[in-house]
Amino acid sequence: MNDQQLLQYYQHQQTQSGWFSLIHVMIESMVANVGEAQSRSFLVQMGDALGERFPLALAHTVGELEAQINARLAAFNWGYIDIDASETAIRIAHTALPVPPEEPKLMAWNHAFSAVLEGLYARWLREQGGKSHVSLWREASPSATVIHFRYQNNQ
């Protein structure tokens, strides 16, 4: 399956008419009114608040953490993740995120939604025992349907 086929599949499965359109219009309007930098900070805060509202149980292994996050994402219909953990970092590959039907708006939505996920994942990792000085950020992504995040201590 190519990337365009995946986009069409995810759009059909994950973007409930009305609700997704409303959220998309709200985010577009926010970015237009306050700019990308300020809206990004707000969206990260919204992800953090979402993580607080939907906490995860304490995981004893990376596999348990991945399973818990995937169960929550499945309930939200937001795709799934794969975690790759090393001695120095955790890399999260988020696949199948909801995407808008209008392709020209895809990258703006991708940036906005990844800001929400950044706040969400950072909250969940802190609640698993992560330290507040350890950063989580979005890395370059190979496609519109995959977002990579890195959680690593840069001190």
Side-chain angles (χ1 to χ4, degrees):
M1 204 179 259
N2 66 35
D3 206 39
Q4 187 59 37
Q5 288 174 308
L6 285 173
L7 280 174
Q8 289 173 352
Y9 173 80
Y10 297 139
Q11 287 166 349
H12 179 72
Q13 295 295 316
Q14 297 171 308
T15 55
Q16 183 182 14
S17 184
W19 284 111
F20 186 81
S21 298
L22 174 63
I23 297 298
H24 195 235
V25 166
M26 289 171 62
I27 289 174
E28 277 184 328
S29 299
M30 180 176 43
V31 172
N33 285 315
V34 300
E36 191 172 327
Q38 283 185 306
S39 61
R40 185 184 179 291
S41 296
F42 177 77
L43 292 168
V44 169
Q45 288 175 352
M46 293 303 94
D48 181 79
L50 189 64
E52 182 178 26
R53 185 170 289 184
F54 294 95
L56 302 176
L58 186 60
H60 299 289
T61 67
V62 173
E64 284 181 20
L65 177 62
E66 184 178 272
Q68 285 188 50
I69 292 173
N70 280 328
R72 186 68 70 200
L73 292 175
F76 293 163
N77 203 17
W78 283 6
Y80 62 92
I81 63 154
D82 290 307
I83 296 177
D84 181 26
S86 71
E87 293 290 323
T88 59
I90 293 175
R91 185 171 183 211
I92 299 171
H94 184 118
T95 303
L97 68 150
V99 292
E102 305 91 6
E103 192 166 331
K105 298 178 179 187
L106 185 61
M107 289 314 295
W109 172 257
N110 189 295
H111 288 292
F113 197 73
S114 66
V116 172
L117 292 174
E118 193 174 315
L120 180 66
Y121 294 149
R123 162 66 75 158
W124 283 341
L125 291 169
R126 279 192 315 272
E127 288 179 348
Q128 294 294 318
K131 306 300 180 208
S132 60
H133 67 275
V134 179
S135 301
L136 182 126
W137 66 90
R138 177 184 179 199
E139 294 184 313
S141 297
S143 76
T145 60
V146 179
I147 301 174
H148 289 171
F149 297 92
R150 179 173 292 276
Y151 181 71
Q152 184 172 351
N153 187 354
N154 289 329
Q155 294 183 346

